[in-house]
Each structure stands twice: as C-alpha cells, then as structure tokens.
Amino acid sequence: MHETFQTATRPDKDRQDPERSPLLSDRLVNDILDIIISNNMSPGDRLPTEGEIGEMFQVSRSVVREAVRSLASRNVIETRRGAGPVVAAVPASAVSTSLSLYLRGRQVDLSYRNVHEARIAVEIEVVQLAAQRATHAAVGHLRDIYEAMGLALAKGEDISKLDLKFHREIANAAGNEVFNMLLEPLVSSLLLVRQTTLELPDAPAHAHLAHGRILEAIAARDPVAAAAAMRHHLEEVLSFWTDSEKSQADAERLSTGGKEDDDN
C-alpha cells in the first residue's frame, strides 16, 4: 500500500464467531468509520481500495463491497470507478437520518422520559436563539403553522404533525444547522407519542395555547419568555403523557381483573 492507515484493534475471535458479533459487513462498516475518524480524514480523501480493505481486516471482497455500499447509501463515502472509495461531504440530513434510525431501532432506552429530558436540553436553547435571530419571514412561517393548527383544532382534526412542524420551524429560525440535525430525530421519534397524548381531553387546546405563547415570545424578541414558554409546554406535554400511561395501565388492570373474575 502507498499509504499507512491507523485502524482500531478488534479481537479476532469476535470477528470470526457469528454468535458473538453482528454480520461481518456491519463490523466492517464500523472498521471503515474508524479509519476515517482515527486518521482525521476530510471530504475527498482517498480510502484504501476494496482489495486493501479486505487484506487489512481479513474479509472477502463481497463483504467489503457490501460494507462500501452501506456507507455510500448513508452518504459517508463516494465510490469512483477505478479508484478506492473517498470520504464524502456528509450532509446534515444524512447524520440526522442515521440518528433517527438508531433511535427507532431501540438501541438506546427510548422511553418518553429520556427523550423528554433530551428535548428540554436542546429546545430551551433553540427557542432562545430563535427569539434572538428569527427573521420576519421565519416568524411568519411559525404564525402560519400556528393558525393552521387552530383551524385543524376547530375541525376536530389531528394536529400532531403540525405540532412537530412548529418545533422544526423553531429550529430553523434559530439559524444553527447543528440544532436541526440533533432535534429532527428526537422530534420524529415522538410522532406516535404526540398522536396518543393529543387524544386526551383538552390536550390539543392546551398545545395550541402553548404554541401561541412560544410564538409571541419569539415575535417579541424575548428569549427569557420564550424559554419559559417552551419549558412550560414541554412539562405540560410530559404531564399529559403521564396521565395517558396511567389511564392505559388502569384500563389494562381492569381488563385483566374482569377476565380473572370470569375464570373464577
């Protein structure tokens, strides 16, 4: 090889024992990512050829091709005919999508409370920045979503998607693409939860009022009020979720008790 690449050390027995590790191609994906990170590679830098990667990690060319295709589909690398793959300029959307898939794959504890804590940490800062940076156009977009939410509410329609759209637009108004990247997977993972909590009596009306308070604080360029309104909204959503969980548990308990009585 013309270049020497640093690689992470991985136990050989884990690589060869299918009971102890994921598919070889999945492991190789991580190995290639390790090469990119440990060598501080930048977009356009050339990775080892498929043959060189196979020799480095003692895997077949078919395994290498599968790993390369996987990384290319995630926009991590680009493949060029007649040369080794190169590091791609990864768009924020690719990072956000990968994190969303990770969360939805339940590889972490995706309990609502955990996601709620993460949302508070991110969205409190985001809404304060939005209050400082939002353009007139951004405020107009937020107002349009808020008014659409009110119309849907008046018709008795589901407002969960508009709810999440409102939060995405706040992130856009903050003017920091990193926040969009972090917030999108969290917001997307909560769609089903919001659909459930918004079925509770008064929950949609409370959500609409809360978004109105957030909107007016952003429009008034008041980051302190915006943060307070967002915190109140998220805590209120948590309260509705807790009530929903309790109602569901009570219903299941009654259902189980009824069956036991029938059996007796």
Side-chain angles (χ1 to χ4, degrees), residues 78-228:
E78 296 175 355
T79 56
R80 297 177 180 177
R81 188 178 297 278
V86 299
V87 179
V90 183
S93 59
V95 179
S96 183
T97 299
S98 294
L99 182 54
S100 181
L101 290 171
Y102 180 81
L103 290 173
R104 293 186 183 196
R106 297 298 195 270
Q107 297 186 58
V108 293
D109 180 4
L110 196 59
S111 66
Y112 181 80
R113 195 172 295 276
N114 279 359
V115 177
H116 168 76
E117 290 174 356
R119 281 190 73 189
I120 283 185
V122 175
E123 291 208 67
I124 295 297
E125 182 65 23
V126 166
V127 78
Q128 291 182 87
L129 290 174
Q132 297 171 40
R133 300 174 178 174
T135 63
H136 290 298
V139 173
H141 290 320
L142 284 169
R143 197 171 298 281
D144 288 344
I145 298 169
Y146 173 72
E147 291 175 357
M149 194 181 297
L151 291 173
L153 188 62
K155 296 177 182 178
E157 297 174 351
D158 175 44
I159 64 169
S160 58
K161 290 184 179 180
L162 287 169
D163 182 311
L164 301 185
K165 185 177 181 181
F166 187 88
H167 286 267
R168 290 189 182 103
E169 192 59 39
I170 292 173
N172 289 334
N176 185 330
E177 190 177 13
V178 176
F179 279 127
N180 295 69
M181 182 178 66
L182 294 174
L183 190 59
E184 177 60 31
L186 295 174
V187 169
S188 297
S189 69
L190 292 176
L191 179 57
L192 291 177
V193 173
R194 285 303 282 145
Q195 287 173 336
T196 299
T197 56
L198 286 170
E199 291 176 355
L200 294 173
D202 299 328
H206 278 271
H208 189 237
L209 288 172
H211 287 95
R213 287 191 289 267
I214 294 168
L215 169 60
E216 294 311 318
I218 292 173
R221 309 287 184 187
D222 189 339
V224 175

Side-chain angles (χ1 to χ4, degrees), residues 38-91:
S38 61
N39 291 278
N40 295 315
M41 300 182 76
S42 301
D45 287 350
R46 188 185 73 85
L47 283 157
T49 65
E50 290 183 0
E52 291 169 341
I53 292 173
E55 290 179 11
M56 290 169 68
F57 298 104
Q58 296 298 296
V59 294
S60 68
R61 290 290 286 270
S62 62
V63 171
V64 175
R65 291 192 190 102
E66 188 174 346
V68 168
R69 280 196 299 268
S70 176
L71 288 168
S73 71
R74 303 181 204 177
N75 299 308
V76 175
I77 64 175
E78 296 175 355
T79 56
R80 297 177 180 177
R81 188 178 297 278
V86 299
V87 179
V90 183

